[in-house]
Amino acid sequence: MAKRLFPRSIRARLTTVATLAAAVVFTITAAITLATAPANLRGAVQTRLELAVRRVAGELESGEFHTVLQTPSRVQLLQVVSARGNVIATSPGVSEIPTLMRFRADQPEKIYTTELTLSRHLTEPEAHYLVMALKVNSPIGVTTVYGAASLTDVDKALNWVEVLMFLGIPLILLSVAGIAWAVVGAALRPVERVRAEMAEITGQDLSRRVPVPDTGDEITDLATTTNHTLDRLERTVETQRRFVADASHELRSPISALRAQLEVASAYPDETDWRATGEQALAAADRLTGIIDELLMLARLDAGAVSERRVVDLVRVAEDQIRRRTGGRVPILPDLCASAPVYGSPMQLDRLLTNLLDNATRHAATRIDLEVSVEGDKVIVTVTDDGDGIPPQDRERVFERFTRLAPARAKDKGGSGLGLALCRDIATAHDGTLSLADHSPGARFVAVFPAPEHA
């Protein structure tokens, strides 16, 4: 098993990333500082010292000679030494320093620079100095101007920089890690509450919801979406439970009727009309077959199963339906256009039209109107009967599974309440709609499908 470069915990990962990012930034900053700080600090001292040395050299060349040299701020020593090595001018209060004589300027008008350890007085301890020498030709002969500026403050500053870099950066990184750990932990605390609540939710109790923080950030959106998902899940589970209960009830009725018929026939074989009993048993079996077929198709639609699809002409489907229903209880009056292509499953579209016409046949008084038309990029199928109609408040209920209104139960005790629900699911699976339109007398079902782009 490969080792993970980062920990599994989001909190630990974010803390690690923040600490590594801070380490990279501070390391680069430290490297740049350590590379440039010495040159910058020494450059400032060198600039002041060079100005002082060149000022004295300029005075010598112009003949303005003074045995006591005034030193500017932060320049500790100025001396003028003759070609024989005699100190002919120096800063006030400074003892002769022979060690400067070993540092000589060979070429005139050229600044020579070095660093020496020396003392301004015999009683002072030695210190680190930046020393410059400049040879000039003056009215009193060839002379060398020496200057020295202390590097003690520079060395102290560099020492502090190194201490801050090598001790301060680890402390800063520890602080960054601690702050990141605390901040991420606070940010993820609502997620932990959501997780804990989700862990308590079971299929037996889907009414619980996760807490929604009022921070207004992505975690709020996550909690809100989770609650919406739980709402849909609860409705789906409730629908499935009701579906299973209703299916069990609907299947129990024909099975019980069939069992009772067979038990009576078996108990009184000599008195049984076996022909009538067989016909009743076949009718019960047909009803069971119809219910099971519709349940299987609904289950496939719920599972998102995609059946074989192609371009289907609904006009041809409607003509087949009319042909099969010739001589029925009520006539079907067609109003069909020349062609109405729809991309879909031939079996499912035929089942939709079958269920709509079966429903209309049960409720129609004298006629059924079947219209198929094309309007723009829509194919419209309309089935209208002249029966009692459906009250407005029940026009959505009739599309629920196992829903049968009282008039429907009175007229036909063999229905299952699945036909219209299956029709709507088929229409939805084909990116279409199925609804009830206003019509009197009777009911008008309108199915709308998108026409294929290349029919």
Side-chain angles (χ1 to χ4, degrees):
M1 182 177 179
K3 294 183 178 179
R4 295 176 60 89
L5 295 178
F6 288 93
R8 292 182 179 273
S9 167
I10 293 178
R11 187 180 189 182
R13 287 205 301 269
L14 291 178
T15 300
T16 302
V17 170
T19 304
L20 289 177
V24 170
V25 171
F26 284 118
T27 300
I28 294 174
T29 303
I32 293 174
T33 301
L34 293 176
T36 59
N40 291 336
L41 293 175
R42 282 183 168 84
V45 174
Q46 184 174 346
T47 299
R48 288 195 298 269
L49 183 58
E50 183 175 348
L51 289 174
V53 170
R54 289 190 180 278
R55 177 180 59 80
V56 174
E59 292 175 353
L60 284 173
E61 290 176 343
S62 63
E64 298 178 2
F65 178 69
H66 303 280
T67 57
V68 178
L69 304 176
Q70 298 298 323
T71 56
S73 174
R74 298 190 180 184
V75 175
Q76 283 72 34
L77 172 64
L78 287 173
Q79 281 186 341
V80 178
V81 180
S82 66
R84 296 182 178 183
N86 298 322
V87 178
I88 58 179
T90 186
S91 300
V94 178
S95 302
E96 183 178 342
I97 306 176
T99 53
L100 282 177
M101 302 305 298
R102 65 187 181 188
F103 175 55
R104 299 181 179 277
D106 296 329
Q107 300 179 12
E109 305 301 331
K110 180 179 179 181
I111 290 286
Y112 289 84
T113 305
T114 190
E115 294 181 14
L116 297 175
T117 300
L118 51 88
S119 174
R120 294 174 66 247
H121 298 279
L122 297 178
T123 58
E124 288 185 357
E126 292 185 339
H128 189 201
Y129 282 85
L130 177 67
V131 180
M132 283 187 178
L134 176 60
K135 182 181 288 187
V136 296
N137 295 316
S138 65
I140 61 174
V142 177
T143 57
T144 302
V145 180
Y146 287 95
S150 175
L151 293 175
T152 302
D153 292 339
V154 173
D155 294 338
K156 289 181 179 179
L158 292 177
N159 290 336
W160 274 108
V161 169
E162 292 176 357
V163 170
L164 290 176
M165 293 299 173
F166 293 106
L167 294 182
I169 288 179
L171 293 177
I172 293 175
L173 292 180
L174 288 177
S175 301
V176 169
I179 293 172
W181 181 267
V183 170
V184 175
L188 293 179
R189 198 167 295 121
V191 177
E192 173 59 24
R193 289 196 291 267
V194 170
R195 186 207 63 79
E197 186 65 26
M198 287 292 292
E200 297 294 328
I201 297 175
T202 64
Q204 303 301 321
D205 182 15
L206 292 173
S207 61
R208 299 176 62 172
R209 296 294 179 266
V210 300
V212 179
D214 57 357
T215 53
D217 54 11
E218 290 83 356
I219 297 178
T220 300
D221 296 338
L222 172 64
T224 302
T225 303
T226 301
N227 284 338
H228 290 164
T229 302
L230 290 173
D231 290 338
R232 293 194 299 270
L233 180 61
E234 183 180 18
R235 289 194 298 268
T236 301
V237 171
E238 184 60 31
T239 300
Q240 290 178 345
R241 288 173 180 170
R242 189 168 61 251
F243 178 80
V244 171
D246 292 341
S248 301
H249 174 75
E250 292 295 333
L251 289 173
R252 188 181 296 115
S253 297
I255 292 175
S256 299
L258 179 60
R259 182 182 182 86
Q261 293 167 4
L262 295 177
E263 287 178 347
V264 170
S266 298
Y268 305 98
D270 297 334
E271 301 176 6
T272 299
D273 184 350
W274 287 101
R275 182 182 180 86
T277 301
E279 292 176 353
Q280 293 173 357
L282 285 175
D286 287 341
R287 185 183 175 195
L288 278 173
T289 301
I291 293 175
I292 292 172
D293 287 344
E294 290 183 332
L295 287 174
L296 288 174
M297 186 170 288
L298 283 169
R300 285 194 292 268
L301 290 172
D302 288 342
V306 180
S307 58
E308 181 181 357
R309 296 193 175 192
R310 57 183 175 82
V311 176
V312 180
D313 190 346
L314 288 183
V315 172
R316 306 286 86 82
V317 177
E319 290 174 346
D320 290 341
Q321 288 285 341
I322 294 171
R323 198 161 34 248
R324 292 199 299 265
R325 296 170 186 270
T326 301
R329 185 180 69 84
V330 291
I332 299 177
L333 305 180
D335 181 8
L336 309 178
C337 63
S339 177
V342 170
Y343 185 77
S345 166
M347 180 186 67
Q348 292 179 1
L349 292 173
D350 182 73
R351 188 54 177 268
L352 179 143
L353 201 54
T354 297
N355 287 1
L356 289 179
L357 290 173
D358 286 346
N359 180 76
T361 301
R362 283 194 295 270
H363 296 281
T366 60
R367 60 182 285 177
I368 298 173
D369 293 300
L370 174 58
E371 179 183 356
V372 180
S373 61
V374 177
E375 296 182 7
D377 59 349
K378 302 293 183 183
V379 174
I380 302 174
V381 178
T382 304
V383 178
T384 307
D385 64 71
D386 59 351
D388 296 331
I390 299 174
Q393 65 271 18
D394 294 327
R395 289 181 180 176
E396 282 299 314
R397 286 187 56 230
V398 295
F399 293 109
E400 296 177 0
R401 298 175 184 183
F402 298 105
T403 296
R404 299 187 69 204
L405 303 180
R409 292 183 179 275
K411 287 187 176 183
D412 182 10
K413 299 184 181 299
S416 64
L418 291 173
L420 294 179
L422 180 58
C423 288
R424 172 163 280 187
D425 285 353
I426 291 174
T428 301
H430 287 74
D431 298 323
T433 60
L434 176 62
S435 60
L436 267 167
D438 291 331
H439 184 264
S440 181
R444 170 171 291 174
F445 289 85
V446 180
V448 180
F449 300 96
E453 295 182 0
H454 304 287

